[in-house]
Every structure is written in structure tokens, then in C-alpha cells.
Amino acid sequence: MKKLSFLVLTAISTSFLIASCTHEEEQTCNEEQVRVEPKKGNEFDQALASELGADDYGMRHYVIAFLKKGPNQDQSEEEVRRLQRAHMDNIGKLAEQRKLVVAGPFMDDTELRGIYIFDVETVEEAEELTKTDPAIKAGRLVMELHPWYGSAALIKTAEIHKTVSKKEI
């Protein structure tokens, strides 16, 4: 991914430089003028990569869950509020256990309600964790689970989130 980003940046920078050179009638462009310097401070950090379990691409395996409306949608408003609070508390518990890396709702009103990204090895492990959710137990939500390959840096999301949120959910 870093190589791809660098190649894209190189291509864009080269195109910009060549385009700007064509506007200068007297200036000629050559390879020596086309240089792209990597940004300072973005060097590879082996210790961090190891801590996060990153592979050579800075990626790792997770399990992603798509939360969908379940078959039981006929609870009272009071029960819906209670289940939602319990659902949020369960998210907090899983995040504290470092089993849940990212969670959040979709902002449109469709069958697809939200996502989880679990830091577990298998879909079966994620399935066991989903069984702890009161909204799943009540049939208000169901989960569709898939193995997923994403940035190892996602593991730092919860830690960083604490520094940017003023209120708890």
C-alpha cells in the first residue's frame, strides 16, 4: 500500500512538473528536475508494526460484521431504549477487552444498521462475541460475519478516539 501511494504521488508530481514545464517556453524538463521526496516522519517503525501484528504491507486479518435488522422489531419503545443502552454497553465492554476495534451505525434507515470490526482470528470467535449482545439475543439485530484484511493501525482507533471525544455515548 505504501508503494502504491508512493507511485501515485510520484505520477501526480511528475505530471504536474511536466505540465508546468510545458508552460515555460524556454525551460526544458529532464529527469534530474523530477524528484519526489518522501515526507519526513513517515519512516517504517518495526517496533510499532510488531506491536500491531502488521504484515509487510502494514495490514492484518480481522473479522468484519454487518449488523442488520433482525426478525424481532415489535418491542415497545421502552424495551427498544433498554436494548439500545445494553447494546452500547456491550460495545464498550468488547472494546475494553480489545476484541472490538471499530463499531458504528450507518446513517441511513435501511436493513443494514452498522458495522463491527473484530480483532479476532476466526469468524467463529467473532460469532461467539456477537452472542453477548443483548440486541442480538432479543432478535432486534442479526450479524453477517466475514474475514477481512485491513490496516493494522486500526487497533489504535479506540485509544485515539478517547483523546478526541468530549462525551461518552
Side-chain angles (χ1 to χ4, degrees), residues 53-124:
D55 64 14
D56 288 345
Y57 299 102
M59 307 283 276
R60 61 175 291 151
H61 293 141
Y62 300 95
V63 173
I64 192 167
F66 295 99
L67 287 78
K68 298 178 176 182
K69 282 185 182 176
N72 189 2
Q73 297 292 309
D74 60 355
Q75 296 94 349
S76 68
E77 284 185 40
E78 182 179 320
E79 180 64 5
V80 169
R81 280 193 297 275
R82 187 193 70 73
L83 284 171
Q84 182 63 20
R85 178 74 264 157
H87 170 68
M88 297 303 294
D89 292 344
N90 190 63
I91 289 171
K93 180 185 80 174
L94 293 173
E96 286 297 317
Q97 294 172 353
R98 296 179 178 240
K99 296 294 186 183
L100 187 60
V101 178
V102 172
F106 290 109
M107 301 304 290
D108 50 0
D109 189 23
T110 66
E111 293 296 310
L112 197 55
R113 305 307 300 151
I115 64 165
Y116 284 171
I117 299 177
F118 289 106
D119 183 17
V120 296
E121 294 294 319
T122 67
V123 168
E124 291 77 21

